[in-house]
Amino acid sequence: MVSLRFLLCFLYISSTYATIVSHDGRAITIDGHRRVLLSGSIHYPRSTPEMWPDLIKKGKEGGLDAIETYVFWNAHEPTRRQYDFSGKLDLIRFLKTIQDEGLYGVLRIGPYACAEWNYGGFPVWLHNMPGMVFRTTNKSFMDEMQNFTTMIVDMVKKEKLFASQGGPIILAQIENEYGNVMGPYGESGKAYIKWCANMAQSLDVGVPWIMCQQNDAPQPMLNTCNGFYCDNFVPNNPNTPKMWTENWTGWFKQWGGKNPHRTTEDVAFSVARFFQRGGTFNNYYMYHRGTNFDRTAGGPYITTSYDYDAPLDEYGNLNQPKYGHLKQLHDVLHSMERTLTYGNISTIDFGNSASATIYKTEEGSSCFFGNGNENSDAKISFQGESYVVPAWSVTILPDCKNEAYNTAKITIQTSMMVKKPNEAEDTPSTLKWSWRPENVDNFILKGKGESTQTQLFDQKVVTNDQSDYLWYMTTVKFKKRDPFLGKSMSLRINSTAHVLHAFVNGKHIGIQHAEDGKFNYVFEKDVKFKSGRNVIALLSITVGLANYGAFFESKPAGITGPIFITGRNGDETIVKDLSAHKWSYKTGLNGFENQLFRTESMSKWSVESVPFNRSMTWYKATFKAPLGNDPVVVDLMGLGKGTAWVNGNNIGRYWPAFISSENGCDAKCNYRGAYHAEKCLTNCGEPTQRWYHVPRSFLNAEGDNTLVLFEEMGGNTSLVSFQTTRVGSVCANVYENKIIELSCDRKPISVIKFASFGNPYGNCGSFEKGTCESSNNTVDILTQECVGKEKCSIDVSTKKFGAPDCSGAARKLAVELIC
Ligand code: GAL
């Protein structure tokens, strides 16, 4: 009896431990099954736990096999050996949500992340440990890195989440793109990478470890590629499958910058080309855009919205056509999985950057026709048939005969998102505000901080990054007959403060921030000093700590000086160096310490004479949650710069006063030719970020909600309003003999604004009829089939729309409808 139970128990264990992950040069093998793997990055703290199931489900419906995330060390260990895995930081809950959806997980522990995340994911206390140097053979660093990595691995193992334990995680990552920066670390860098590999390996996770952009990755680490294109990538070991850990679906945004877009056609092209050339794992970075809540944005100057033009937008809406066009690609690739992972590969070069790749097994063949020429279409004849492959595209033929997919031919609608005003009952057209000044008198009048030093320090060293704000204060005495006083005087500060406010004797003398990415600048203002005691108070504000580059941890932030007072009289100049003066420091602002952002805060707020354009001011308003389920945003147009909270939840830094320059936008954007981050920009001459995400879970559906703002620069609250975001109109522009689905995303279609079958031209919002057009009333046909419905499926054919004579050219249907 005992032995039977033992046997059953043994069988049970071995079946739950059955998932084995290995790799064999051509593919990742899971449970003995070789896989074409499509994956997408969703970073758990960039959304809320309530959003996770929907985001992950949409990933699955979009044809993903896996979800990737980094692990964010500084969020989990904000103070040494004090951990936080609550709320948005509940990593295990996130991984279990992936598991519940039946997807695989890719866990990039790092623990260096980069990711446009504050300090690349490193805690600032780590930097402040004696003798610390990051990412090299520095004993203290290695101990701390090992401690955190081991802790994460142990947590994940305890929950049996590695595939070797029957869980979803098939790959783990150590370090991140170290190969890109390792030169300056010299021999120590090489030794460090070996140490990383051994340390990771010793943790015995039972799944392969990846090291991206590391072409000296020691065995058995898998060396993988990151970039806009990775078809040329060759891993450093013949047994490593060709894997792409970051296919950038767009790019990130910085304050003062514009909105980067990467076209759908080009993302699809890069993926198809990668699989054409033997790729096996493609991860979209990012698949979901996300929000840099609180002070998590990296930098300097990464915006609160981590807008990446990803297939799922910041709020979790489908970004169409990107989401749908990639879904179709995933479906086609999956249908060819067997041939791609087992087939013999042969290629035909047609010249002029056109090629065919044939994957052949005994059961059948699958083909890719690629055209990397950015100007001319390729006419290809293959096995007695002729094909046209548009410039900069790949055609996929799962049976080597029929075109199932072309990366440049989109048959998915374009959804244009709109913002709608808050329609909650009893919502006044403008919010009713109360306010409080931030009390800065102690600093600007008295220069009184909490510690003094005769030196100017880097901001991180003083604040431990517990706050964005650090006061640097000193006093300067002039005797009545001091030679300075008779001259025209100025205060000159060599600054690396991300934003700097300067006060002399209580008067605000100026504010400056970095322009054009120059975070090392000189602030100089004429100042009238008086005889006797003068107080200089400088408020240095960080806007995300550096997250990238060799030795990025020591990039200065704050006021590291030198600081001078100069006096000029004709040709005569005298200079007083204040750098080694007695400086008094104070971290943070009173309002933050007193938690004015908390709903239950007892502090007094005034409703009288609510000020406009007053710096260092707190504002508060109550509002009702918008009805329905559409995602909520707050429009902060009119404000300067600061931080916003909804019901005590920090929704991030805001800075709508930062307007991007007028030039360099290209809404029409040609998808042909290699993408780079400066291509296809929009939003020129507008606030870099005007709308800020308020997750529904931050709101009380019934009753009042509170918005608190801390305004640093001065702004106008009268335009602030809550809105919802949803699909406003939908367009499509498809060739005949395709089926197009039109949908308003669970809202009824209300009217067909434009429709023409023939050779219409133009873009969504500005379609025009062409020279040939069907005599049937296309608008009527579509009105009948679609209006009043949430979606409709249209067979774009001459049978439905008639057969206008377009001189033999393929006919197209262009349609624009309003939701
Ligand atoms: C990569 C890095 C990512 C992210 C990306 C740009 O170099 O690995 O974490 O920063 O660049 O968005």
Side-chain angles (χ1 to χ4, degrees):
M1 195 59 194
V2 170
S3 61
L4 182 63
R5 264 170 81 177
F6 176 77
L7 187 69
L8 284 174
C9 173
F10 175 76
L11 283 177
Y12 173 73
I13 291 175
S14 48
S15 70
T16 51
Y17 280 65
T19 312
I20 297 159
V21 181
S22 70
H23 48 93
D24 66 354
R26 268 295 284 285
I28 291 282
T29 310
I30 303 169
D31 256 347
H33 180 57
R34 298 162 95 189
R35 297 295 315 266
V36 161
L37 281 168
L38 294 152
S39 167
S41 296
I42 301 178
H43 292 161
Y44 53 99
R46 286 184 156 138
S47 50
T48 60
E50 294 73 18
M51 292 169 71
W52 296 342
D54 181 58
L55 296 174
I56 293 167
K57 188 156 170 280
K58 283 173 171 157
K60 185 178 184 182
E61 287 166 2
L64 298 187
D65 305 291
I67 302 295
E68 176 276 340
T69 185
Y70 281 122
V71 177
F72 298 91
W73 184 1
N74 55 0
H76 293 303
E77 196 175 348
T79 306
R80 189 161 180 266
R81 303 296 180 264
Q82 287 179 28
Y83 298 101
D84 185 359
F85 287 91
S86 63
K88 294 193 284 287
L89 297 177
D90 193 343
L91 171 65
I92 296 296
R93 176 167 166 190
F94 181 74
L95 296 172
K96 287 188 172 168
T97 315
I98 297 174
Q99 183 173 39
D100 291 346
E101 210 39 80
L103 292 179
Y104 295 122
V106 177
L107 191 64
R108 302 173 80 192
I109 302 177
Y112 167 62
C114 191
E116 290 71 67
W117 187 265
N118 191 38
Y119 219 31
F122 282 134
V124 174
W125 56 257
L126 182 69
H127 168 64
N128 292 342
M129 288 175 72
M132 176 60 63
V133 187
F134 288 179
R135 304 176 81 194
T136 186
T137 47
N138 173 293
K139 171 95 173 56
S140 319
F141 177 77
M142 294 190 297
D143 287 349
E144 293 298 319
M145 170 166 167
Q146 179 158 9
N147 182 71
F148 181 75
T149 310
T150 308
M151 191 194 64
I152 294 295
V153 165
D154 288 349
M155 276 176 77
V156 173
K157 271 191 188 171
K158 192 163 155 259
E159 302 293 332
K160 302 213 177 338
L161 290 168
F162 285 110
S164 47
Q165 306 173 289
I169 299 168
I170 52 168
L171 294 166
Q173 179 176 300
I174 194 75
E175 251 297 340
N176 185 64
E177 290 194 336
Y178 189 68
N180 290 1
V181 297
M182 74 187 280
Y185 294 87
E187 288 306 312
S188 307
K190 292 183 194 157
Y192 166 65
I193 266 307
K194 290 203 183 105
W195 173 82
C196 288
N198 287 333
M199 190 269 281
Q201 208 49 29
S202 75
L203 296 175
D204 195 21
V205 295
V207 303
W209 285 94
I210 48 185
M211 274 190 172
C212 54
Q213 296 289 98
Q214 195 68 47
N215 55 28
D216 62 348
Q219 294 308 305
M221 303 287 111
L222 303 181
N223 152 228
T224 65
C225 181
N226 294 345
F228 291 116
Y229 307 93
C230 278
D231 45 299
N232 284 328
F233 169 69
V234 183
N236 66 346
N237 181 291
N239 292 326
T240 299
K242 182 164 166 171
M243 296 167 74
W244 193 353
T245 25
E246 290 181 24
N247 180 346
W248 300 322
T249 50
W251 201 239
F252 56 84
K253 195 160 78 160
Q254 280 171 286
W255 297 113
K258 294 151 197 165
N259 294 355
H261 296 279
R262 185 174 179 201
T263 62
T264 298
E265 292 94 330
D266 187 57
V267 181
F269 173 69
S270 70
V271 178
R273 216 159 159 78
F274 179 68
F275 282 96
Q276 170 170 11
R277 302 193 55 190
T280 164
F281 168 89
N282 169 75
N283 176 65
Y284 297 101
Y285 188 98
M286 299 295 298
Y287 193 76
H288 166 239
R289 301 180 188 177
T291 310
N292 293 316
F293 295 109
D294 210 324
R295 303 171 54 246
T296 59
Y301 281 13
I302 298 295
T303 53
T304 295
S305 163
Y306 193 51
D307 192 301
Y308 224 88
D309 200 14
L312 297 176
D313 77 9
E314 183 175 357
Y315 322 108
N317 297 313
L318 306 189
N319 174 16
Q320 296 287 36
K322 201 171 262 184
Y323 175 88
H325 192 54
L326 294 175
K327 171 183 163 61
Q328 290 177 345
L329 172 59
H330 304 156
D331 292 348
V332 176
L333 290 171
H334 279 140
S335 77
M336 303 172 3
E337 188 169 55
R338 234 191 115 67
T339 342
L340 292 183
T341 54
Y342 292 98
N344 288 329
I345 307 175
S346 57
T347 55
I348 307 172
D349 188 349
F350 300 103
N352 207 17
S353 306
S355 64
T357 306
I358 303 111
Y359 286 80
K360 191 170 173 11
T361 64
E362 284 181 354
E363 290 136 47
S365 306
S366 295
C367 289
F368 293 84
F369 296 162
N371 181 6
N373 190 300
E374 52 189 276
N375 300 312
S376 58
D377 297 353
K379 295 195 178 60
I380 286 180
S381 34
F382 180 78
Q383 294 179 349
E385 304 274 345
S386 52
Y387 301 86
V388 176
V389 186
W392 203 257
S393 81
V394 176
T395 298
I396 305 178
L397 310 92
D399 58 358
C400 284
K401 216 171 158 41
N402 297 296
E403 170 173 333
Y405 185 87
N406 175 275
T407 58
K409 296 181 191 166
I410 297 182
T411 55
I412 297 289
Q413 71 178 36
T414 298
S415 302
M416 310 288 275
M417 306 307 286
V418 288
K419 308 273 188 323
K420 298 262 176 191
N422 184 357
E423 279 159 1
E425 276 166 59
D426 320 322
T427 292
S429 54
T430 55
L431 294 166
K432 195 158 168 26
W433 294 95
S434 55
W435 75 287
R436 273 177 65 99
E438 167 68 24
N439 188 354
V440 292
D441 288 356
N442 258 345
F443 317 117
I444 65 174
L445 294 174
K446 300 189 191 140
K448 236 169 98 186
E450 20 179 51
S451 63
T452 54
Q453 295 283 343
T454 48
Q455 197 184 334
L456 287 164
F457 278 108
D458 186 291
Q459 182 153 350
K460 295 187 284 297
V461 177
V462 186
T463 65
N464 242 321
D465 201 36
Q466 297 299 311
S467 165
D468 279 352
Y469 303 95
L470 178 63
W471 289 98
Y472 293 73
M473 296 162 286
T474 194
T475 52
V476 187
K477 285 192 183 128
F478 290 108
K479 296 205 186 88
K480 262 213 172 95
R481 285 201 193 81
D482 197 293
F484 270 95
L485 292 177
K487 303 191 164 48
S488 64
M489 295 167 81
S490 72
L491 178 65
R492 174 144 51 93
I493 303 166
N494 287 66
S495 168
T496 51
H498 301 163
V499 176
L500 166 64
H501 288 265
F503 302 81
V504 173
N505 297 330
K507 192 167 166 267
H508 191 254
I509 62 160
I511 175 172
Q512 196 159 327
H513 63 259
E515 298 277 3
D516 303 324
K518 289 189 199 83
F519 287 95
N520 199 330
Y521 57 88
V522 174
F523 170 98
E524 181 151 27
K525 283 277 180 290
D526 290 345
V527 181
K528 276 218 168 334
F529 289 96
K530 58 183 189 198
S531 68
R533 188 169 172 270
N534 293 272
V535 177
I536 299 175
L538 309 173
L539 179 62
S540 169
I541 306 171
T542 47
V543 189
L545 298 177
N547 55 265
Y548 184 73
F551 304 108
F552 74 84
E553 75 267 29
S554 43
K555 280 191 190 159
I559 302 165
T560 42
I563 300 182
F564 304 103
I565 293 175
T566 54
R568 269 187 214 91
N569 198 352
D571 290 344
E572 194 199 354
T573 302
I574 42 177
V575 175
K576 196 182 192 58
D577 188 344
L578 303 182
S579 312
H581 250 222
K582 190 160 135 200
W583 286 92
S584 179
Y585 290 92
K586 158 80 186 155
T587 297
L589 295 176
N590 289 330
F592 284 74
E593 268 161 35
N594 298 331
Q595 305 200 326
L596 294 182
F597 45 83
R598 296 194 85 94
T599 321
E600 61 277 15
S601 148
M602 299 303 285
S603 309
K604 284 222 171 67
W605 295 74
S606 163
V607 290
E608 306 295 322
S609 342
V610 179
F612 284 164
N613 284 335
R614 185 186 185 283
S615 65
M616 307 290 161
T617 305
W618 292 82
Y619 293 98
K620 180 151 105 174
T622 52
F623 64 97
K624 294 269 190 287
L627 301 175
N629 299 321
D630 288 334
V632 178
V633 293
V634 57
D635 181 355
L636 296 184
M637 191 70 171
L639 292 182
K641 175 186 182 292
T643 303
W645 295 260
V646 170
N647 297 333
N649 298 287
N650 188 323
I651 62 166
R653 300 185 185 101
Y654 67 79
W655 199 347
F658 210 150
I659 310 282
S660 70
S661 72
E662 291 285 346
N663 306 321
C665 281
D666 174 13
K668 282 214 180 99
C669 175
N670 183 358
Y671 68 84
R672 297 170 174 193
Y675 180 75
H676 53 89
E678 298 300 309
K679 194 176 165 184
C680 306
L681 300 171
T682 62
N683 205 41
C684 281
E686 299 287 334
T688 298
Q689 188 182 345
R690 171 173 169 184
W691 290 277
Y692 297 79
H693 184 201
V694 183
R696 283 266 175 196
S697 58
F698 290 180
L699 295 170
N700 306 313
E702 311 282 329
D704 282 344
N705 293 281
T706 310
L707 169 69
V708 174
L709 305 171
F710 172 62
E711 174 55 55
E712 282 164 33
M713 291 181 170
N716 177 348
T717 50
S718 68
L719 297 174
V720 171
S721 73
F722 284 85
Q723 299 166 5
T724 54
T725 151
R726 50 177 273 205
V727 182
S729 61
V730 162
C731 292
N733 190 1
V734 266
Y735 283 103
E736 62 183 307
N737 303 325
K738 295 275 179 207
I739 303 228
I740 172 95
E741 179 156 297
L742 300 169
S743 146
C744 278
D745 195 17
R746 286 163 292 146
K747 300 264 167 23
I749 296 169
S750 65
V751 71
I752 308 291
K753 194 173 159 206
F754 176 93
S756 172
F757 183 65
N759 63 354
Y761 62 94
N763 292 313
C764 187
S766 60
F767 285 131
E768 304 260 1
K769 294 183 174 183
T771 48
C772 67
E773 195 190 24
S774 154
S775 54
N776 297 2
N777 191 329
T778 315
V779 172
D780 277 357
I781 299 173
L782 290 170
T783 304
Q784 242 169 41
E785 296 213 8
C786 301
V787 170
K789 298 184 187 152
E790 290 183 4
K791 59 179 171 201
C792 55
S793 187
I794 304 295
D795 171 17
V796 183
S797 65
T798 49
K799 210 167 97 217
K800 184 175 278 310
F801 295 105
D805 177 7
C806 296
S807 321
R811 303 170 188 96
K812 275 185 131 180
L813 171 74
V815 47
E816 179 180 352
L817 56 84
I818 307 294
C819 292

